[in-house]
Amino acid sequence: MGHLVLVASPFQGHMTPMLQLGSVLHSKGFSITLAHTKLNSPDPSNHPEIEFLSLDDNFLAIDASANFTKFLEVLNDNCRLQLQDRLNRKIQEAKEDMTAIIHDNIMYSVEEVARNLNVPSIVLRSSSASYMPAFLALPKLHAQGQLPVQDYMREKIVPELYPLRYKDLPFNSTSTKVIKEMFAQSEIIRTPSAIIWNTMEFLENSALTKLREHYKVPIFAIGPLNETARYTSTSFLKEDTNCISWLDKQAPRSVIYVSLGSLATMEEHELAETAWGLANSNQPFLWVVRPGSVKGSEWIEFLPEGFVDEVRGRGLVLKWAPQKQVLAHSAVGGFWSHCGWNSTLESISQGVPMICRPFLGDQFVNCRYLSYVWRVGLELEYLERRVIMTVIRRLLVDEEGEEIRKRANNVKEKAKYCLCKGGSSFNSLNNLVEFILASYSNFT
Ligand code: UDX
């Protein structure tokens, strides 16, 4: 039917939906090549339907968390020429045309490669749609002197971005200089043929409408990709599957699952507050502490004294979970999450109500929508043991939690419906396939 080249970036939250997209488009008849960096490369044995193209990278020395814009600049510079060269050779050797290139939005230099190879380029966005209008509003808010957000403004609504409060803005405490650099980079993507969004029309209709007006190219909302793609691990870290037999022993909907995604970090005192909050909640818990995510430690050396004895038999701490399996388990009653978009979609897909505690970027916006608009989660405002204990019990024990669970189940049903024949994501995916084939014939 055609050959698609997907270009991924080396972040877990971006790689996962790209792999899922590859699997979905393969099921539609395309052959798929996925180009990726050596840093954080996927495990090809989990994706036999995809051919992998590994690009040499040369930027391990740059700390993405210290200077993200510099990291992206070097990443894009390193990959651009190499990708073009490798794809050129591939075309000549295979005597095969390339139907389109689909790239992660942060791999912005791929657009130039697609232009040079004379193929359409399509962007995959792996954040929520609701995040984008807020991101696009940042320069104006900066120019008005409203960013970084001052303490007295945090709870106030941003007039043009209702229902977001100033504290829900992405990068609300980032310096003006960094915001300017980020914008200069995001402006580089100017002429994609289309945008694929891992979301659903019913969930983010208003944001999608704004984005269609803004970008003026077709936007295909085909999510949640975690439900359409064939299930397989997409993790960089090894998933500890022992937790499933532990979950089997717990009562239905009794466990709070805690995971803060692939990037968030915490201080030692925050680890201690979390630990005691979980212990005092009296509920069983499954807690992912990613190695290195507690500043200054390798793993859980900083767990407070007495904690392990206190929670023996009631809690399990692990390095990385098979999250989709965990969320699908009947023992899980709630998900304390950083509100990364993949985690959000995975939770919504299983009807698991959430405790929302964002750390960075789009997560603040997602938290606000989860807790205030879709009302499938409770916002955890302070990382303090008593507040944590209370919020866990509100979700898992109190009647309030039952109501939230009902709404979460309702959203889950609607999400399922999107993927059925005639549903919005089902149709959007078919439209995307047609669009790819039509754009290719226009280009050639
Ligand atoms: C960040 C952003 O916050 C997100 O919104 C953006 O679009 C991508 O980058 P990240 O911290 O990676 O996200 O979180 P998330 O988007 O939730 O992705 C994490 C992925 O890792 C999820 O698919 C989740 O299932 C997986 N995961 C997490 C595991 O498989 N096991 C774990 O223990 C923890």
Side-chain angles (χ1 to χ4, degrees), residues 218-398:
I219 294 184
F220 298 96
I222 64 167
L225 283 166
N226 52 290
E227 287 296 292
T228 22
R230 182 181 66 80
Y231 177 73
T232 184
S233 169
T234 54
S235 289
F236 298 144
L237 296 175
K238 188 171 162 16
E239 295 176 353
D240 180 350
T241 49
N242 292 327
C243 62
I244 300 297
S245 48
W246 182 84
L247 281 174
D248 289 342
K249 296 187 200 104
Q250 311 304 319
R253 295 200 296 273
S254 64
V255 176
I256 179 81
Y257 168 58
V258 187
S259 166
L260 308 178
S262 68
L263 301 168
T265 53
M266 56 164 66
E267 304 286 343
E268 183 183 345
H269 73 272
E270 294 176 317
L271 181 83
E273 291 305 310
T274 304
W276 286 123
L278 288 169
N280 298 344
S281 77
N282 256 331
Q283 290 297 125
F285 62 85
L286 183 64
W287 181 14
V288 176
V289 182
R290 224 177 54 247
S293 63
V294 181
K295 288 179 193 157
S297 78
E298 298 242 318
W299 188 36
I300 48 172
E301 308 87 281
F302 294 157
L303 275 179
E305 230 184 289
F307 170 74
V308 173
D309 288 336
E310 176 73 26
V311 301
R312 201 175 296 285
R314 182 160 61 83
L316 192 64
V317 180
L318 67 170
K319 293 180 174 167
W320 192 255
Q323 182 162 301
K324 287 174 227 81
Q325 279 170 266
V326 167
L327 289 170
H329 199 287
S330 56
V332 172
F335 179 16
W336 171 356
S337 170
H338 66 308
C339 309
W341 189 237
N342 295 288
S343 294
T344 299
L345 290 176
E346 289 157 15
S347 207
I348 280 177
S349 305
Q350 295 300 334
V352 176
M354 295 170 77
I355 292 174
C356 307
R357 175 74 189 172
F359 281 79
L360 50 92
D362 59 332
Q363 299 161 10
F364 298 103
V365 175
N366 302 343
C367 167
R368 180 65 166 163
Y369 275 80
L370 282 161
S371 56
Y372 185 79
V373 181
W374 308 322
R375 297 170 62 224
V376 296
L378 292 170
E379 183 181 3
L380 174 61
E381 305 231 19
Y382 303 99
L383 207 58
E384 194 267 312
R385 62 190 73 181
R386 207 189 293 238
V387 182
I388 294 170
M389 176 197 77
T390 309
V391 82
I392 293 175
R393 295 195 65 79
R394 277 172 66 198
L395 194 72
L396 291 181
V397 184
D398 296 354

